[in-house]
Amino acid sequence: MGMLDEIPIAFDPEDVVNEFEAMTKDAERVQRDTLRKILEENGGTEYLQQWGLDGKTDPESFKACVPIVTHEDLECYIVRIVDGDDSPVLTGKPIKTISLSSGTTRGMPKFVPFNDELVETTMQIFKTSFAYRNRCFPVANGKCLQFIYGSKQFKTKGGLAAGTATTNIYRDPLFKNTMKAMQTPCCSPDDVIFGPDFHQSLYCHLLSGLIYRDEIQVISSTFAHSIVYAFRTFELDWEELCANIREGILSTRISVPSVRSAMSKLLKPNPELADTILNECKGLSNWYGLIPALFPNTRYIYGIMTGSMEPYLKKLRHYAGDLPLVSADYGSSEGWVGANVNPTLPPESVTYVVLPNIGYFEFIPVTQTLDEQNSSVEPKPIGLTEVRVGEEYEILLTSFAGLYRYRLGDMVKVKGFHNSTPQLQFICRKNLLLTINIDKNTEKDLQLAVESASNLLSSEKLEVVDFTSRVDTSPEPGHYVIFWEISGDATDEVLQECCNCLDRSFLDAGYVSSRKAKLIGELELRVVKPKTFHKILDHYVGLGAAVSQFKTPRCVPTSNCTVLQILCGNVVKSYFSTAFS
Ligand code: AMP
């Protein structure tokens, strides 16, 4: 580890682009080779042995022998690894580290295997998108203000290191070296990234950024939510931050000794800088353009901005002023999928080009997923290069880290091809969010409904800070409940309109007909107190989730008592739709 720490990795972005172009031109062959490699390395595992591959490594035999699985199907194998079984269960080489997926999308964290190959594919995907980004937005000899946070790491019963995937990555020396090679290492000390208290780390990230104000060229986080959260915090703490810079003394509320000592090495009295920042802030109207005002040499803002991050784009654009927003890549704790190689596209139109050598990918057409739900027909997935433009699919992943024909749970749409490999648009998680009767509404449907209804708040200069939903079946018939946190006070008339608009915006025929037939009750909008969603984040972080991977759960099941208590205990107003009466 020490050795690697000291050896900076140099790479030529043009070489990365050339390799990527060559590989994507020959995607079918690269996929075959990748599957062969995965099966050669892992064919002898207990898991694969049972499917009778008998040493065959071609896609046809693989598909014929090995079943399509979900995380649940693999749980018994993963638990044995977690408990210390180091025989070749899922991978030829024993798994030494476990990732804890954010779990915020399904309500509870799950364990997935982590290994060196995942670190390597992560760096490959980071370098690939960087190489394309750097052609449009070059950076050099600067720093990056990265709102990243390590989560708690612990040892499993079997002695394996466990932490969230992002933490496993941030801790790897390859990560730091790659950031250096990208000319923008993180401006904050490691003790801040890995500090045990997220609120203190966030404050110190902001402070480090301000200290290196002129050197900051990129503002980033894993998911865009963390950037918006950080600048909302800045709005509250800016005077305190300036006072710390003026006096060169860190606020006493930063109490973690390692964080204090790391920050005291950076912090020197600097009244001039404090005045500059104060003046910049005072010159802003409603914090519009805050980021370029604070960090005048920023080239772009970078983080995952698609899918469940889209609702934060409006606020992010407000803080960013004219700066470009560049969406980061697409992947999961289980493995990476694709890179954003068209960085000038606005986040709403971003697509991800699948890297054909980081895993073996299959695609289940959306029509089959629906048939399967209705009649348990076995789906027939197709290969990476066989997908069709305009169609939607569920992704299956076969990885170098012990997952074979694994349902990632995401729906994507093919928007085009980059050479012979598809460009995917992220649609949403596959599981339905809201369903009572014959209605079927996904995260995307909820997102669109909230977007249209929240437009009605703009006239009052208000916005939806965050939102979630649930199905309430306790009074018959059941109905949808949408929770909103709003940036200020809206009138009852406007909120009633928003509630009606939400109800009308679920366009699914099953919902509309059930509402008309009164088989689903009036939609309810509940407005919660400010900071309610911060409490939800704190709750998940307390359970070991990583702030860096946090996604607000967009639907809260009745079984999630704590989150429901937080929501219901903070309701200030509630409205029932009159849209179908
Ligand atoms: P995690 O549980 O933290 O590993 O989160 C992985 C999930 O985050 C993926 O399965 C996706 O649903 C979501 N995700 C990751 N990258 C993106 C992206 N670029 N756009 C939209 N959603 C993403």
Side-chain angles (χ1 to χ4, degrees):
M1 185 157 173
M3 284 288 286
L4 259 176
D5 255 339
E6 284 138 35
I7 307 170
I9 307 163
F11 70 91
D12 179 351
E14 285 312 302
D15 288 347
V16 176
V17 168
N18 292 338
E19 264 171 49
F20 181 76
E21 290 300 323
M23 189 164 58
T24 51
K25 278 182 187 142
D26 204 8
E28 193 188 343
R29 189 190 53 79
V30 177
Q31 278 283 276
R32 277 186 175 266
D33 287 355
T34 306
L35 180 65
R36 181 176 42 75
K37 263 197 192 132
I38 293 175
L39 296 180
E40 276 170 5
E41 278 178 28
N42 305 295
T45 54
E46 181 184 328
Y47 180 76
L48 284 178
Q49 280 287 315
Q50 68 185 308
W51 305 119
L53 272 168
D54 293 331
K56 293 191 282 287
T57 60
D58 60 290
E60 294 72 25
S61 311
F62 178 63
K63 287 184 191 179
C65 298
V66 179
I68 295 170
V69 292
T70 61
H71 187 271
E72 250 179 0
D73 299 313
L74 297 183
E75 215 146 334
C76 56
Y77 299 93
I78 296 176
V79 165
R80 278 173 49 203
I81 298 171
V82 169
D83 288 348
D85 186 341
D86 65 358
S87 67
V89 180
L90 288 171
T91 49
K93 273 186 271 166
I95 294 287
K96 299 216 169 60
T97 309
I98 287 288
S99 285
L100 196 60
S101 93
S102 66
T104 40
T105 41
R106 71 161 199 173
M108 56 176 177
K110 54 187 182 195
F111 288 127
V112 289
F114 183 88
N115 64 8
D116 288 345
E117 276 84 353
L118 279 182
V119 180
E120 275 162 35
T121 48
T122 306
M123 295 314 132
Q124 189 195 336
I125 210 149
F126 281 7
K127 285 193 240 173
T128 306
S129 50
F130 172 78
Y132 285 87
R133 203 159 65 243
N134 211 44
R135 284 175 156 184
C136 317
F137 310 112
V139 291
N141 303 318
K143 288 198 188 316
C144 177
L145 170 54
Q146 264 180 311
F147 295 102
I148 56 175
Y149 309 89
S151 59
K152 280 181 221 155
Q153 269 198 322
F154 61 95
K155 284 259 180 258
T156 68
K157 199 166 92 187
L160 276 75
T164 51
T166 40
T167 309
N168 293 335
I169 295 288
Y170 303 150
R171 283 201 185 276
D172 200 289
L174 262 177
F175 171 71
K176 222 185 216 181
N177 281 312
T178 308
M179 291 313 291
K180 268 190 209 150
M182 290 180 190
Q183 306 274 330
T184 50
C186 180
C187 68
S188 313
D190 278 357
D191 289 304
V192 169
I193 301 173
F194 297 109
D197 181 303
F198 148 65
H199 297 281
Q200 295 190 24
S201 292
L202 165 52
Y203 185 89
C204 293
H205 274 315
L206 286 167
L207 193 55
S208 308
L210 294 172
I211 292 169
Y212 290 110
R213 174 175 195 256
D214 292 324
E215 288 171 62
I216 302 293
Q217 295 184 4
V218 180
I219 311 281
S220 83
S221 68
T222 308
F223 286 97
H225 171 267
S226 306
I227 306 181
V228 171
Y229 192 112
F231 288 100
R232 283 193 193 278
T233 306
F234 180 88
E235 284 188 31
L236 303 174
D237 291 347
W238 63 292
E239 284 165 314
E240 186 179 343
L241 287 158
C242 286
N244 288 183
I245 293 172
R246 183 178 306 284
E247 291 152 19
I249 300 169
L250 190 62
S251 296
T252 48
R253 69 176 164 121
I254 307 304
S255 58
V256 176
S258 56
V259 175
R260 278 200 79 81
S261 101
M263 287 308 295
S264 62
K265 290 189 189 119
L266 300 187
L267 195 58
K268 303 279 170 308
N270 192 340
E272 205 183 318
L273 177 61
D275 284 340
T276 310
I277 298 166
L278 278 178
N279 286 334
E280 289 290 352
C281 291
K282 285 182 183 154
L284 297 174
S285 158
N286 196 23
W287 303 103
Y288 178 82
L290 174 61
I291 296 177
L294 292 179
F295 308 105
N297 296 317
T298 310
R299 302 287 160 82
Y300 56 88
I301 296 170
Y302 188 63
I304 294 173
M305 296 175 191
T306 43
S308 58
M309 295 297 128
E310 271 181 43
Y312 308 110
L313 281 176
K314 205 167 170 189
K315 191 67 178 173
L316 191 56
R317 286 209 164 92
H318 183 82
Y319 287 137
D322 292 334
L323 283 172
L325 302 185
V326 184
S327 184
D329 307 314
Y330 168 34
S332 67
S333 305
E334 287 90 336
W336 285 97
V337 179
N340 175 6
V341 300
N342 292 303
T344 51
L345 288 177
E348 289 83 354
S349 348
V350 161
T351 57
Y352 302 100
V353 178
V354 180
L355 269 69
N357 73 336
I358 58 177
Y360 181 73
F361 298 95
E362 293 171 78
F363 295 81
I364 305 178
V366 67
T367 44
Q368 288 185 18
T369 3
L370 295 177
D371 288 349
E372 191 192 0
Q373 277 162 10
N374 298 334
S375 59
S376 65
V377 181
E378 175 76 2
K380 288 202 173 43
I382 53 176
L384 179 71
T385 52
E386 293 163 343
V387 293
R388 303 227 318 245
V389 176
E391 300 288 317
E392 288 186 18
Y393 300 92
E394 179 190 349
I395 301 191
L396 294 184
L397 168 70
T398 295
S399 74
F400 283 95
L403 304 177
Y404 309 96
R405 312 196 80 202
Y406 174 94
R407 299 183 100 134
L408 210 50
D410 290 339
M411 298 305 296
V412 294
K413 185 173 190 167
V414 178
K415 295 299 274 187
F417 278 85
H418 181 98
N419 299 319
S420 62
T421 184
Q423 296 170 308
L424 308 179
Q425 179 185 33
F426 181 87
I427 302 290
C428 61
R429 300 286 300 168
K430 183 192 139 204
N431 35 353
L432 288 178
L433 219 54
L434 293 163
T435 172
I436 293 177
N437 185 20
I438 50 163
D439 50 315
K440 289 190 168 77
N441 282 300
T442 63
E443 178 169 355
K444 184 87 192 168
D445 300 316
L446 172 66
Q447 210 167 292
L448 292 173
V450 170
E451 203 177 294
S452 355
S454 65
N455 284 337
L456 300 170
L457 292 175
S458 319
S459 57
E460 304 217 346
K461 296 217 166 7
L462 293 172
E463 61 193 341
V464 175
V465 173
D466 222 329
F467 63 94
T468 188
S469 66
R470 72 173 292 225
V471 158
D472 186 356
T473 48
S474 55
E476 285 282 337
H479 69 289
Y480 292 5
V481 183
I482 314 288
F483 295 89
W484 270 12
E485 182 177 322
I486 307 178
S487 59
D489 287 326
T491 61
D492 286 338
E493 292 73 43
V494 169
L495 288 168
Q496 182 63 55
E497 265 306 297
C498 291
C499 179
N500 295 355
C501 180
L502 280 168
D503 204 7
R504 276 193 305 265
S505 300
F506 288 102
L507 300 176
D508 157 60
Y511 183 75
V512 177
S513 60
S514 304
R515 278 289 288 119
K516 284 185 181 157
K518 306 225 179 309
L519 295 168
I520 293 181
E522 293 90 9
L523 181 144
E524 184 181 357
L525 170 63
R526 295 191 183 181
V527 179
V528 294
K529 283 185 201 150
K531 294 216 164 184
T532 301
F533 280 83
H534 284 191
K535 289 182 193 153
I536 293 175
L537 170 69
D538 286 342
H539 161 71
Y540 278 105
V541 170
L543 293 179
V547 178
S548 288
Q549 277 170 257
F550 183 75
K551 298 160 210 83
T552 298
R554 295 294 183 209
C555 183
V556 185
T558 310
S559 56
N560 198 337
C561 302
T562 322
V563 173
L564 272 185
Q565 264 167 18
I566 298 175
L567 286 166
C568 297
N570 283 283
V571 173
V572 283
K573 286 176 180 173
S574 123
Y575 303 84
F576 282 93
S577 163
T578 53
F580 291 86
S581 46

PDB file of all heavy atoms in Angstrom, residues 344-359:
ATOM      1  N   THR A 344     -20.693  17.085 -22.858  1.00  0.00           N
ATOM      2  CA  THR A 344     -21.350  18.375 -23.051  1.00  0.00           C
ATOM      3  C   THR A 344     -22.876  18.253 -23.041  1.00  0.00           C
ATOM      4  O   THR A 344     -23.576  19.259 -23.024  1.00  0.00           O
ATOM      5  CB  THR A 344     -20.914  19.036 -24.380  1.00  0.00           C
ATOM      6  OG1 THR A 344     -21.090  18.071 -25.402  1.00  0.00           O
ATOM      7  CG2 THR A 344     -19.465  19.485 -24.345  1.00  0.00           C
ATOM      8  N   LEU A 345     -23.386  17.019 -23.035  1.00  0.00           N
ATOM      9  CA  LEU A 345     -24.851  16.872 -23.014  1.00  0.00           C
ATOM     10  C   LEU A 345     -25.403  17.297 -21.658  1.00  0.00           C
ATOM     11  O   LEU A 345     -24.793  17.007 -20.624  1.00  0.00           O
ATOM     12  CB  LEU A 345     -25.232  15.403 -23.245  1.00  0.00           C
ATOM     13  CG  LEU A 345     -25.037  14.834 -24.637  1.00  0.00           C
ATOM     14  CD1 LEU A 345     -25.404  13.358 -24.649  1.00  0.00           C
ATOM     15  CD2 LEU A 345     -25.895  15.596 -25.638  1.00  0.00           C
ATOM     16  N   PRO A 346     -26.558  17.960 -21.635  1.00  0.00           N
ATOM     17  CA  PRO A 346     -27.153  18.276 -20.338  1.00  0.00           C
ATOM     18  C   PRO A 346     -27.557  16.983 -19.630  1.00  0.00           C
ATOM     19  O   PRO A 346     -27.876  15.988 -20.308  1.00  0.00           O
ATOM     20  CB  PRO A 346     -28.384  19.103 -20.707  1.00  0.00           C
ATOM     21  CG  PRO A 346     -28.656  18.819 -22.131  1.00  0.00           C
ATOM     22  CD  PRO A 346     -27.358  18.417 -22.771  1.00  0.00           C
ATOM     23  N   PRO A 347     -27.537  16.971 -18.293  1.00  0.00           N
ATOM     24  CA  PRO A 347     -27.789  15.728 -17.563  1.00  0.00           C
ATOM     25  C   PRO A 347     -29.069  15.007 -17.984  1.00  0.00           C
ATOM     26  O   PRO A 347     -29.095  13.772 -18.010  1.00  0.00           O
ATOM     27  CB  PRO A 347     -27.891  16.178 -16.110  1.00  0.00           C
ATOM     28  CG  PRO A 347     -27.139  17.454 -16.053  1.00  0.00           C
ATOM     29  CD  PRO A 347     -27.214  18.085 -17.400  1.00  0.00           C
ATOM     30  N   GLU A 348     -30.090  15.743 -18.381  1.00  0.00           N
ATOM     31  CA  GLU A 348     -31.360  15.112 -18.763  1.00  0.00           C
ATOM     32  C   GLU A 348     -31.204  14.219 -19.990  1.00  0.00           C
ATOM     33  O   GLU A 348     -31.989  13.315 -20.202  1.00  0.00           O
ATOM     34  CB  GLU A 348     -32.444  16.165 -19.072  1.00  0.00           C
ATOM     35  CG  GLU A 348     -32.970  16.905 -17.854  1.00  0.00           C
ATOM     36  CD  GLU A 348     -32.085  18.070 -17.439  1.00  0.00           C
ATOM     37  OE1 GLU A 348     -30.993  18.245 -18.022  1.00  0.00           O
ATOM     38  OE2 GLU A 348     -32.477  18.803 -16.519  1.00  0.00           O
ATOM     39  N   SER A 349     -30.198  14.502 -20.844  1.00  0.00           N
ATOM     40  CA  SER A 349     -30.042  13.683 -22.050  1.00  0.00           C
ATOM     41  C   SER A 349     -28.812  12.783 -22.001  1.00  0.00           C
ATOM     42  O   SER A 349     -28.434  12.198 -23.022  1.00  0.00           O
ATOM     43  CB  SER A 349     -29.942  14.551 -23.299  1.00  0.00           C
ATOM     44  OG  SER A 349     -30.281  15.859 -23.071  1.00  0.00           O
ATOM     45  N   VAL A 350     -28.184  12.683 -20.858  1.00  0.00           N
ATOM     46  CA  VAL A 350     -26.944  11.898 -20.790  1.00  0.00           C
ATOM     47  C   VAL A 350     -27.200  10.417 -21.044  1.00  0.00           C
ATOM     48  O   VAL A 350     -28.198   9.864 -20.597  1.00  0.00           O
ATOM     49  CB  VAL A 350     -26.279  12.086 -19.406  1.00  0.00           C
ATOM     50  CG1 VAL A 350     -25.292  10.973 -19.102  1.00  0.00           C
ATOM     51  CG2 VAL A 350     -25.584  13.421 -19.356  1.00  0.00           C
ATOM     52  N   THR A 351     -26.277   9.806 -21.785  1.00  0.00           N
ATOM     53  CA  THR A 351     -26.330   8.353 -21.963  1.00  0.00           C
ATOM     54  C   THR A 351     -24.992   7.784 -21.494  1.00  0.00           C
ATOM     55  O   THR A 351     -24.000   8.509 -21.399  1.00  0.00           O
ATOM     56  CB  THR A 351     -26.531   7.972 -23.440  1.00  0.00           C
ATOM     57  OG1 THR A 351     -25.468   8.547 -24.200  1.00  0.00           O
ATOM     58  CG2 THR A 351     -27.881   8.444 -23.949  1.00  0.00           C
ATOM     59  N   TYR A 352     -25.011   6.495 -21.222  1.00  0.00           N
ATOM     60  CA  TYR A 352     -23.807   5.826 -20.739  1.00  0.00           C
ATOM     61  C   TYR A 352     -23.421   4.732 -21.735  1.00  0.00           C
ATOM     62  O   TYR A 352     -24.247   3.875 -22.056  1.00  0.00           O
ATOM     63  CB  TYR A 352     -24.055   5.234 -19.354  1.00  0.00           C
ATOM     64  CG  TYR A 352     -24.477   6.302 -18.373  1.00  0.00           C
ATOM     65  CD1 TYR A 352     -25.821   6.482 -18.024  1.00  0.00           C
ATOM     66  CD2 TYR A 352     -23.533   7.168 -17.824  1.00  0.00           C
ATOM     67  CE1 TYR A 352     -26.199   7.484 -17.148  1.00  0.00           C
ATOM     68  CE2 TYR A 352     -23.911   8.176 -16.939  1.00  0.00           C
ATOM     69  CZ  TYR A 352     -25.250   8.329 -16.614  1.00  0.00           C
ATOM     70  OH  TYR A 352     -25.616   9.324 -15.747  1.00  0.00           O
ATOM     71  N   VAL A 353     -22.174   4.797 -22.196  1.00  0.00           N
ATOM     72  CA  VAL A 353     -21.712   3.801 -23.152  1.00  0.00           C
ATOM     73  C   VAL A 353     -21.131   2.621 -22.362  1.00  0.00           C
ATOM     74  O   VAL A 353     -20.237   2.795 -21.538  1.00  0.00           O
ATOM     75  CB  VAL A 353     -20.640   4.395 -24.091  1.00  0.00           C
ATOM     76  CG1 VAL A 353     -20.124   3.330 -25.047  1.00  0.00           C
ATOM     77  CG2 VAL A 353     -21.205   5.581 -24.853  1.00  0.00           C
ATOM     78  N   VAL A 354     -21.673   1.433 -22.641  1.00  0.00           N
ATOM     79  CA  VAL A 354     -21.240   0.255 -21.888  1.00  0.00           C
ATOM     80  C   VAL A 354     -19.798  -0.095 -22.257  1.00  0.00           C
ATOM     81  O   VAL A 354     -19.442  -0.117 -23.435  1.00  0.00           O
ATOM     82  CB  VAL A 354     -22.158  -0.946 -22.189  1.00  0.00           C
ATOM     83  CG1 VAL A 354     -21.712  -2.170 -21.406  1.00  0.00           C
ATOM     84  CG2 VAL A 354     -23.610  -0.591 -21.877  1.00  0.00           C
ATOM     85  N   LEU A 355     -18.979  -0.340 -21.247  1.00  0.00           N
ATOM     86  CA  LEU A 355     -17.597  -0.768 -21.500  1.00  0.00           C
ATOM     87  C   LEU A 355     -17.612  -2.287 -21.663  1.00  0.00           C
ATOM     88  O   LEU A 355     -17.886  -3.005 -20.698  1.00  0.00           O
ATOM     89  CB  LEU A 355     -16.682  -0.366 -20.336  1.00  0.00           C
ATOM     90  CG  LEU A 355     -16.004   1.003 -20.476  1.00  0.00           C
ATOM     91  CD1 LEU A 355     -17.020   2.109 -20.371  1.00  0.00           C
ATOM     92  CD2 LEU A 355     -14.908   1.165 -19.466  1.00  0.00           C
ATOM     93  N   PRO A 356     -17.311  -2.771 -22.884  1.00  0.00           N
ATOM     94  CA  PRO A 356     -17.533  -4.209 -23.115  1.00  0.00           C
ATOM     95  C   PRO A 356     -16.540  -5.132 -22.420  1.00  0.00           C
ATOM     96  O   PRO A 356     -16.737  -6.327 -22.424  1.00  0.00           O
ATOM     97  CB  PRO A 356     -17.430  -4.337 -24.640  1.00  0.00           C
ATOM     98  CG  PRO A 356     -16.748  -3.109 -25.112  1.00  0.00           C
ATOM     99  CD  PRO A 356     -16.939  -2.039 -24.099  1.00  0.00           C
ATOM    100  N   ASN A 357     -15.483  -4.582 -21.799  1.00  0.00           N
ATOM    101  CA  ASN A 357     -14.530  -5.513 -21.168  1.00  0.00           C
ATOM    102  C   ASN A 357     -14.625  -5.534 -19.635  1.00  0.00           C
ATOM    103  O   ASN A 357     -13.814  -6.151 -18.979  1.00  0.00           O
ATOM    104  CB  ASN A 357     -13.091  -5.173 -21.591  1.00  0.00           C
ATOM    105  CG  ASN A 357     -12.599  -3.903 -20.926  1.00  0.00           C
ATOM    106  OD1 ASN A 357     -13.401  -3.054 -20.523  1.00  0.00           O
ATOM    107  ND2 ASN A 357     -11.296  -3.769 -20.817  1.00  0.00           N
ATOM    108  N   ILE A 358     -15.617  -4.834 -19.064  1.00  0.00           N
ATOM    109  CA  ILE A 358     -15.659  -4.818 -17.592  1.00  0.00           C
ATOM    110  C   ILE A 358     -16.625  -5.850 -17.018  1.00  0.00           C
ATOM    111  O   ILE A 358     -16.697  -6.034 -15.806  1.00  0.00           O
ATOM    112  CB  ILE A 358     -15.993  -3.415 -17.018  1.00  0.00           C
ATOM    113  CG1 ILE A 358     -17.330  -2.899 -17.543  1.00  0.00           C
ATOM    114  CG2 ILE A 358     -14.902  -2.427 -17.297  1.00  0.00           C
ATOM    115  CD1 ILE A 358     -17.721  -1.561 -16.949  1.00  0.00           C
ATOM    116  N   GLY A 359     -17.360  -6.506 -17.873  1.00  0.00           N
ATOM    117  CA  GLY A 359     -18.282  -7.534 -17.405  1.00  0.00           C
ATOM    118  C   GLY A 359     -18.980  -8.094 -18.626  1.00  0.00           C
ATOM    119  O   GLY A 359     -18.769  -7.615 -19.756  1.00  0.00           O
TER     120      GLY A 359
END
